[in-house]
């Protein structure tokens, strides 16, 4: 019962996972873990976070992973809890073969920050294989003259298990002539030998058939059997002997199949069939039989398959020479496989980060490991990347490398990088491996919008329709995505009196500008404002540009006649002496136009006349002059209609009516009426009356003018120091019109034109009055001479 209990305990120990063996933080000792082969998938092995003294949250944040040369798929790491789980059943014999202990190295990689821990998983053996003999029958010839105590080596069985589970004993079926003796070889293997207990008698027993049983040391024990057939032969007293008991040879791993490895040789002093030697493998594993082939007659050993230094470096072969009498001798052949540079370096990528934000400080882009399965210089490696890249390779432990940015990247300069990692070994010839990765650079809002111009000049014609498109501004952003999406806006104007919000608007998406209402050139010729462009990055960046809008004049104002006034109660009559010469200045039509440019260029023409050809109008200044000499036949009263027209498109015009009275002279006592001329005396008396009336009216008119001028001057001296009539904004400015000539205008006159306006009143000319030249002529005349545009508006 005690033995059965122990076996149950051992069975449980074999079926379940052995615990964590231990780890040492001092030095470079790896973490060690143990598991039995054939353990069920999903078995918990260990908690790496606890073993490393790292919190579970920190262990998850540091992006842990398992890496190994063998690409171990049978281990699974839970990065959230740190549990190391067995991912599949393990077969120790498949993984390690006869090697004991069976250790599978791997690495634990923590990326943030980078830290690498070495670890080992040792796979324990269970007794899952029985001993097996390669031959079902072993033929042994023994001379009848053999003395008791002679030993005959037998072929050993093979057991894929190791340790206590491998071969431990041999037995033979009960008989009176032989027993089995077990001895241990130099490599720890056990071999059976048949020991003779008593002399054989061929005549009595020519042949014996015995069962040879091989037992392993497992619990429960497993066994394998073969038939031992013993033939009793006549006497053969010399066994074959090899020239050398040990042969050592080195063979390059790239040796072709069929090449000679070594030639062994044995000799036998017997003659006849007892001296004929046959060579064969003795105790050869299946791997040796697949790799080598021996010529049974010559003893030449040949390659039967290609060698691989990275898999097996040394082969130990036992070759037996047996003569015709059944005697044999053995020798050992040790074949050492030499390495050649037949394995290119390998790059094992652990992690790759892409894309990388521009303007970031030193950033780990990739973590990888390099390896070369060759040895010596053939396994030494050099790792590099291109020189013209802003990246650098930093070596770490266990042939790990990190690819790190050397400086901050700029997406606007380069959006992606193609990096070729090159690993070259130092063998002859050198082998090289390249691995290309692409690293994308993601955008950061580091570029402010840029306008296509620092300032824009737009023009719009006055009297435009509301919501008229007048132009646009454009800005670009070198960033990407939302960092390059722009929003346009109007910035507060510098002039607080400029009603910008009621003048223009801007499309926030494309920067197009629109006039919100009709503009008036006479009120506003130009205005400036600033526009801003802001991206949608975080934080947003912005820039601004200056926009100047120029209002273009439209011909929307007709000429306005200043003199002669057309709304007077009594028409103004111009006196012309009949003795006037041709070109005599009768009067001058004075007109202005509220427009500008060619829209304000005025021209004059005589539209109607009582007597065509008697008077003419100068087209550029509006002077009305006589065209020929006057005669007694010409009528005394004349009515002229003068047309004033601007140069706009289409042109606008105004007309003025002039009344002209022909007189014999300003000094005559009366003026003759054109309707009455019966008697000379009657005409003379009428002339006297007319002169008297004209003098009275003139005196009264002159007195009224003086009083009015005095009152106006007093008011103006209190309101404005200059004493110039003011005009409300938006109406025609006041002008001083100088009309001079000869004839009825005996002296130069200056006219002051005032336009009244205001709430509740109609804008009209209030008064046209003459001012004596000695009062304001010098001051107003200088203003007229210094203002060419003013003169153009007056038609000078």
């Amino acid at each position: 019962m005690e033995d059965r209990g122990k076996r149950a305990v051992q069975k449980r120990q074999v079926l379940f996972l052995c615990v964590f063996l231990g780890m040492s933080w001092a030095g470079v000792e790896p973490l060690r873990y143990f598991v039995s082969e054939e353990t069920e998938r999903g078995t918990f092995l260990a908690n790496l976070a606890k073993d490393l003294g790292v919190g579970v949250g920190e262990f998850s944040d540091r992006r842990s992973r398992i890496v190994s040369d063998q690409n171990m798929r049978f281990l699974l790491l839970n990065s959230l809890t740190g549990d190391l789980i067995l991912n599949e059943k393990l077969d120790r014999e498949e993984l390690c073969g006869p090697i004991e202990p069976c250790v599978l190295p791997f690495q634990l990689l923590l990326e943030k920050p980078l830290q690498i821990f070495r670890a080992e998983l040792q796979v324990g053996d269970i007794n899952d294989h029985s001993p097996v003999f390669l031959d079902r029958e072993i033929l042994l010839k023994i001379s009848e003259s053999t003395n008791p105590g002679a030993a005959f080596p037998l072929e050993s069985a093979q057991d894929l298990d190791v340790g206590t589970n491998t071969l431990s004993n041999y037995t033979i079926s009960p008989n009176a002539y032989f027993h089995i003796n077990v001895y241990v070889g130099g490599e720890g293997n056990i071999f059976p030998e048949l020991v003779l207990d008593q002399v054989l008698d061929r005549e009595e027993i020519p042949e014996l058939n015995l069962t040879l049983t091989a037992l392993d040391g497992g619990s429960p024990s497993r066994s394998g059997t073969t038939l031992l057939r013993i033939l009793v032969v006549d006497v053969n007293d010399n066994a074959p002997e090899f020239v050398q008991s040990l042969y050592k040879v080195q063979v390059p791993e790239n040796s072709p199949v069929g090449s000679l490895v070594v030639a062994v040789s044995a000799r036998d002093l017997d003659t006849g069939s007892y001296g004929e030697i046959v060579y064969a493998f003795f105790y050869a594993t299946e791997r040796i039989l697949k790799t080598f082939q021996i010529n049974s007659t010559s003893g030449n050993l040949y390659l039967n398959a290609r060698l691989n230094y990275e898999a097996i470096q040394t082969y130990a072969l036992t070759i037996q020479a047996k003569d015709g009498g059944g005697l044999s001798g053995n020798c050992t052949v040790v074949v050492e496989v030499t390495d050649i540079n037949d394995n290119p370096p390998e790059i094992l990528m652990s992690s790759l980060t892409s894309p990388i934000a521009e303007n970031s400080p030193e950033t780990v882009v990739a973590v990888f490991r390099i390896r070369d399965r060759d040895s010596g210089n053939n396994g030494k490696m050099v790792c590099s990347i291109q020189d013209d890249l802003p990246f650098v390779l930093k070596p770490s432990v266990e042939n790990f490398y990190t690819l790190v940015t050397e400086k901050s990247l700029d997406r606007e300069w380069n959006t992606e990088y193609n990096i070729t990692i090159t690993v070259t070994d130092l063998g002859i010839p050198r082998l090289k491996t390249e691995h290309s990765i692409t690293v994308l650079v993601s955008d950061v809002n580091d570029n402010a919008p840029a306008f296509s111009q620092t300032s824009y000049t737009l023009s719009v014609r006055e009297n435009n329709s509301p919501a008229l498109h007048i132009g646009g501004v454009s800005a670009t952003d070198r960033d990407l995505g939302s960092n390059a999406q722009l929003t346009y806006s109007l910035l507060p104007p510098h002039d607080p009196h400029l009603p910008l919000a009621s003048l223009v608007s801007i499309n926030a998406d494309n920067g197009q500008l629109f006039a919100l209402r009709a503009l008036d050139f006479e009120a506003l010729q130009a205005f400036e404002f600033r526009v801003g462009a802001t991206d949608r990055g975080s934080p947003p960046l912005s820039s601004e540009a200056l926009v100047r809008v120029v209002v273009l004049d439209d011909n929307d104002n007709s000429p306005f006649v200043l003199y002669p006034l057309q709304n007077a109660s009594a028409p103004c009559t111009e006196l012309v002496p009949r003795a006037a010469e041709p070109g005599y200045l009768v009067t001058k039509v004075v007109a202005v136009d509220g427009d500008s440019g060619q829209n304000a260029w005025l021209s004059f023409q005589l539209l109607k006349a009582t007597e065509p050809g008697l008077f003419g109008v100068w087209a550029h200044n509006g002077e009305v002059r006589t065209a020929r000499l006057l005669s007694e036949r010409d009528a005394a009263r004349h009515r002229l209609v003068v047309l004033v027209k601007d140069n706009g498109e289409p042109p606008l015009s105004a007309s003025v009516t002039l009344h002209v009275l022909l007189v014999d002279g300003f000094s005559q006592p009366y003026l003759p009426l054109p309707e009455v001329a019966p008697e000379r005396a009657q005409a003379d008396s009428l002339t006297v009356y007319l002169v008297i009336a004209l003098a009275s009216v003139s005196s009264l008119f002159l007195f009224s003018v003086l009083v009015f001028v005095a009152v106006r001057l007093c008011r103006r001296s209190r309101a404005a120091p200059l004493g110039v009539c003011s005009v409300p904004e938006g109406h025609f400015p006041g002008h001083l019109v100088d009309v001079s000539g000869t004839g009825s205008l005996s002296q130069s006159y200056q006219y002051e034109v005032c336009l009244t306006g205001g709430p509740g009143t109609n804008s009209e000319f209030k008064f046209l009055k003459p001012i004596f030249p000695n009062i304001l002529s010098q001051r107003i005349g200088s203003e007229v001479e210094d203002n060419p545009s003013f003169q153009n508006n007056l038609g000078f």
Side-chain angles (χ1 to χ4, degrees):
M1 291 296 293
E2 292 180 356
D3 293 338
R4 185 176 301 176
K6 291 181 179 179
R7 290 179 182 177
V9 171
Q10 291 177 355
K11 186 174 183 179
R12 284 196 299 271
Q13 291 176 347
V14 169
L15 293 177
F16 293 97
L17 169 70
C18 293
V19 221
F20 165 69
L21 294 177
M23 58 175 288
S24 174
W25 288 93
V28 293
E29 286 295 321
L31 303 174
R32 292 186 175 89
Y33 302 94
F34 184 89
V35 64
S36 297
E37 67 173 333
E38 303 299 331
T39 300
E40 291 296 325
R41 178 188 180 203
T43 301
F44 171 81
L45 298 181
N47 187 283
L48 297 183
K50 180 179 179 182
D51 295 343
L52 297 177
V54 179
V56 175
E58 180 184 357
F59 189 84
S60 175
D61 293 340
R62 294 185 64 180
R63 295 178 61 182
S64 58
R65 66 181 65 195
I66 294 293
V67 294
S68 71
D69 291 351
Q70 291 82 12
N71 296 323
M72 299 174 69
R73 295 184 298 272
F74 42 83
L75 286 181
L76 182 64
L77 176 62
N78 188 332
S79 59
L80 297 178
T81 62
D83 292 339
L84 184 64
I85 307 298
L86 188 64
N87 197 34
E88 63 184 28
K89 285 185 178 181
L90 303 181
D91 188 350
R92 192 207 66 81
E93 287 73 24
E94 180 182 351
L95 292 174
C96 299
I99 299 175
E100 180 66 11
C102 180
V103 177
L104 303 179
F106 64 95
Q107 294 83 33
L108 172 63
L109 174 64
L110 303 181
E111 288 189 18
K112 295 183 177 181
L114 179 63
Q115 195 172 9
I116 300 170
F117 299 91
R118 293 189 304 146
E120 295 177 354
L121 179 64
Q122 182 174 344
V123 182
D125 183 57
I126 64 173
N127 192 23
D128 56 346
H129 292 87
S130 299
V132 176
F133 288 93
L134 295 180
D135 297 324
R136 294 183 179 180
E137 178 180 317
I138 300 176
L139 179 61
L140 188 63
K141 296 179 180 181
I142 301 176
S143 174
E144 61 180 351
S145 62
T146 303
N147 296 321
F152 303 93
L154 300 177
E155 181 180 353
S156 176
Q158 296 184 28
D159 193 339
L160 297 179
D161 296 324
V162 295
T164 59
N165 295 324
T166 191
L167 285 172
S168 63
N169 195 15
Y170 290 90
T171 62
I172 196 171
S173 57
N175 64 92
Y177 295 94
F178 299 95
H179 73 272
I180 291 296
N181 186 22
V182 178
Y183 69 96
V184 181
E187 296 181 0
N189 299 324
I190 62 172
F191 301 92
E193 61 180 10
L194 188 65
V195 180
L196 183 63
D197 293 333
Q198 63 180 2
V199 177
L200 295 174
D201 186 358
R202 182 181 176 279
E203 286 72 24
E204 183 180 354
I205 302 177
E207 180 178 345
L208 288 173
N209 292 318
L210 304 176
T211 300
L212 179 63
T213 302
L215 301 172
D216 63 20
S219 178
S221 177
R222 290 174 176 264
S223 63
T225 62
T226 186
L227 177 63
L228 181 59
R229 184 181 174 195
I230 302 172
L231 298 179
V232 181
V233 296
D234 288 339
V235 175
N236 180 22
D237 56 352
N238 289 288
E241 293 182 5
F242 280 92
V243 177
Q244 295 177 225
S245 61
L246 177 63
Y247 294 84
K248 283 188 177 182
V249 62
Q250 291 184 339
V251 181
E253 62 175 326
N254 64 339
S255 299
V257 175
S259 59
L260 178 64
V261 177
V262 68
V264 297
S265 177
R267 60 186 179 180
D268 194 319
L269 298 179
D270 293 324
T271 60
S273 62
Y274 297 132
E276 294 178 359
I277 298 176
V278 176
Y279 298 92
F281 291 116
F282 182 74
Y283 180 60
T285 63
E286 185 177 357
R287 181 174 296 175
I288 290 177
L289 293 176
K290 289 181 179 180
T291 308
F292 300 96
Q293 180 182 3
I294 190 168
N295 189 306
S296 60
T297 304
S298 64
N300 293 337
L301 185 66
Y302 298 97
L303 276 181
N304 200 34
R306 294 189 64 88
L307 302 176
N308 187 359
Y309 173 85
E310 288 70 37
I312 299 178
Q313 292 82 36
T314 303
Y315 293 89
L317 296 81
T318 301
I319 298 178
Q320 183 183 67
K322 184 181 293 186
D323 60 19
L327 299 181
S328 62
N330 298 334
C331 74
T332 301
V333 177
V334 177
V335 179
E336 296 179 354
V337 183
T338 58
D339 182 48
I340 64 168
N341 194 25
D342 60 342
N343 290 283
E346 300 177 61
I347 299 175
L348 307 175
M349 191 64 61
S350 298
S351 67
L352 175 63
T353 303
S354 179
I356 297 176
E358 63 175 334
N359 297 334
S360 298
E362 182 177 302
T363 304
V364 176
V365 177
V367 179
F368 62 93
R369 186 184 183 189
I370 61 175
R371 71 177 180 185
D372 195 314
R373 297 184 183 274
D374 296 319
S375 61
N377 288 334
N378 297 333
K380 295 180 179 179
M381 297 164 288
V382 177
C383 186
S384 63
I385 60 174
Q386 304 100 301
D387 294 333
D388 56 345
L389 296 178
F391 298 91
V392 64
L393 283 177
K394 292 187 176 181
S396 185
V397 296
E398 294 291 329
N399 285 332
F400 273 92
Y401 282 83
T402 55
L403 180 64
V404 184
T405 56
E406 189 176 20
K407 58 183 179 181
S408 297
L409 305 180
D410 187 359
R411 189 203 64 82
E412 289 71 36
W413 177 257
N414 201 342
T415 59
E416 68 177 37
Y417 292 90
N418 293 317
I419 305 172
T420 300
I421 302 172
T422 303
V423 182
T424 305
D425 62 24
L426 301 181
I428 299 176
R430 294 194 174 188
L431 300 180
K432 179 175 67 175
T433 299
E434 293 182 348
H435 181 78
S436 297
I437 60 175
T438 299
V439 177
L440 302 178
V441 183
S442 61
D443 186 52
V444 172
N445 192 26
D446 57 347
N447 289 279
F451 281 93
S452 58
Q453 302 173 213
T454 56
S455 63
Y456 297 81
T457 300
L458 308 177
S459 61
V460 58
R461 193 165 294 279
E462 67 171 328
N463 302 321
N464 58 284
S465 58
L468 176 68
H469 176 252
I470 61 175
V473 297
S474 176
T476 56
D477 197 310
R478 296 178 60 197
D479 293 320
L480 195 65
S482 61
N483 296 331
Q485 295 177 359
L486 303 182
T487 301
Y488 298 89
S489 61
L490 298 176
L491 300 180
H494 293 305
D495 185 3
H497 301 292
L498 179 65
L500 183 62
S502 64
L503 292 176
V504 293
S505 68
I506 189 169
N507 189 313
D509 296 326
N510 54 27
Q512 298 301 310
L513 293 165
F514 300 88
L516 295 179
R517 60 179 173 86
L519 302 178
D520 186 6
F521 172 83
E522 288 71 36
L524 182 66
Q525 287 79 33
F527 59 94
E528 293 180 349
F529 58 91
R530 293 172 299 120
V531 295
T534 304
D535 59 30
R536 297 182 183 178
S538 180
L541 301 178
S542 62
S543 61
E544 61 183 55
L546 179 67
V547 178
R548 175 179 174 83
V549 178
V550 178
V551 182
L552 303 179
D553 182 46
D554 237 352
N555 192 25
D556 57 347
N557 290 283
S558 300
F560 188 86
V561 178
L562 299 177
Y563 180 83
L565 293 176
Q566 297 300 297
N567 59 349
S569 58
C572 180
T573 303
E574 304 294 341
L575 302 179
V576 178
R578 291 184 178 272
E581 297 292 331
Y584 175 84
L585 177 63
V586 178
T587 186
K588 183 173 183 178
V589 177
V590 180
V592 294
D593 195 310
D595 297 318
S596 65
Q598 66 179 9
N599 295 330
W601 297 350
L602 303 181
S603 61
F604 303 84
Q605 69 180 76
L606 185 59
L607 188 62
K608 292 181 181 180
T610 304
E611 185 174 342
L614 181 59
F615 298 97
V617 178
W618 285 25
H620 298 297
N621 57 15
E623 293 181 352
V624 180
R625 295 179 181 270
T626 58
R628 60 176 174 81
L629 289 172
L630 305 178
S631 66
E632 293 295 335
R633 297 177 181 179
D634 295 326
R637 291 181 179 275
H638 294 268
R639 181 175 177 272
L640 307 179
V641 178
V642 178
L643 180 68
V644 183
K645 183 173 62 174
D646 60 25
N647 197 34
E649 185 62 37
L652 301 179
S653 62
S655 62
V656 58
T657 301
L658 303 177
H659 297 275
V660 179
L661 180 64
L662 301 182
V663 297
D664 291 334
F666 291 120
S667 60
Q668 64 186 18
Y670 60 89
L671 293 175
L673 294 175
E675 297 83 5
V676 183
E679 292 107 10
R680 180 74 176 175
Q682 195 173 8
D684 293 339
S685 62
L686 182 59
T687 301
V688 172
Y689 295 147
L690 288 174
V691 170
I692 293 172
L694 179 62
S696 301
V697 171
S698 300
S699 300
L700 181 61
F701 176 75
L702 181 60
F703 178 76
S704 300
V705 167
L706 292 175
V707 173
F708 182 78
V709 168
V711 173
R712 291 285 291 177
L713 290 177
C714 291
R715 291 179 180 176
R716 228 178 302 166
S717 63
R718 290 193 297 268
L722 293 178
V724 179
C725 184
S726 62
V727 180
E729 183 180 357
H731 296 80
F732 293 108
H735 295 287
L736 295 176
V737 182
D738 186 9
V739 181
S740 61
T742 59
S744 62
L745 302 178
S746 60
Q747 56 182 329
S748 298
Y749 286 87
Q750 292 179 339
Y751 293 90
E752 182 180 15
V753 182
C754 294
L755 192 64
T756 63
T761 63
N762 295 326
S763 297
E764 61 178 3
F765 285 93
K766 182 178 180 181
F767 189 73
L768 177 67
K769 60 183 180 180
I771 303 177
F772 291 106
N774 58 354
I775 299 176
L776 297 173
S777 61
Q778 294 180 354
R779 184 177 65 186
I780 300 177
S782 63
E783 292 181 359
V784 174
E785 294 174 358
D786 294 340
N787 196 339
S789 62
F790 178 64
Q791 295 178 6
N792 290 333
N793 289 334
L794 293 179
F796 290 167

